[in-house]
Amino acid sequence: MLAMTVTIQAQDFSKSQCVAGLRAALNILDKWKASCEQACRILRISRSTYTRARQRDSAWAVGLDSDQMQRISIVLNIHAALRLVFDNPENVYGFPSMENRNEFFNGRAPLDVMAQGDMISLYETFRRIDTLRGAQW
């Protein structure tokens, strides 16, 4: 039997793409009222990277790994799902910090679950919010 090995190369992102994605995700997290600590845990970035990204220095550049870029992507996708589900900004930006009685959240706010810092919590939060689009909740 022939064994086949497939290697998936991590996509290389330019530093400007990393900065743009990071700043977009931080803007969303700010609107969700995430603390610095929560944002750093969700995106797996240091406090100094958080601070530098928020300074808006156009000369600043950062390289992020594929895990960090995937986390940014999930935050952007959660935001997109919330914009499809809710018409008003209060819910789009307020929902992540609201106590949630769904079995998965068990009374916790989605933001608190995401801020546990592990990829599974972040992805599962996205999955639960994404199902709202189909009213499967």
Side-chain angles (χ1 to χ4, degrees), residues 64-75:
L64 300 174
D65 62 34
S66 59
D67 176 76
Q68 291 166 315
M69 291 301 286
Q70 188 172 15
R71 289 166 180 270
I72 288 168
S73 175
I74 293 171
V75 168

Side-chain angles (χ1 to χ4, degrees), residues 50-90:
Y50 173 89
T51 302
R52 292 291 308 270
R54 292 179 45 109
Q55 289 176 345
R56 301 287 182 200
D57 176 3
S58 61
W60 181 70
V62 67
L64 300 174
D65 62 34
S66 59
D67 176 76
Q68 291 166 315
M69 291 301 286
Q70 188 172 15
R71 289 166 180 270
I72 288 168
S73 175
I74 293 171
V75 168
L76 298 176
N77 280 294
I78 290 170
H79 176 65
L82 288 170
R83 288 186 56 157
L84 289 171
V85 171
F86 299 115
D87 292 332
N88 60 341
E90 293 81 21

Side-chain angles (χ1 to χ4, degrees), residues 21 25 28-29 32 42-43 66-82 114 118-130:
I28 291 166
L29 288 164
W32 290 350
I42 291 167
L43 300 177
S66 59
D67 176 76
Q68 291 166 315
M69 291 301 286
Q70 188 172 15
R71 289 166 180 270
I72 288 168
S73 175
I74 293 171
V75 168
L76 298 176
N77 280 294
I78 290 170
H79 176 65
L82 288 170
M114 291 185 275
D118 60 288
M119 182 62 83
I120 292 171
S121 295
L122 181 58
Y123 175 74
E124 287 299 320
T125 298
F126 161 70
R127 214 168 63 74
R128 296 315 195 282
I129 291 171
D130 194 48

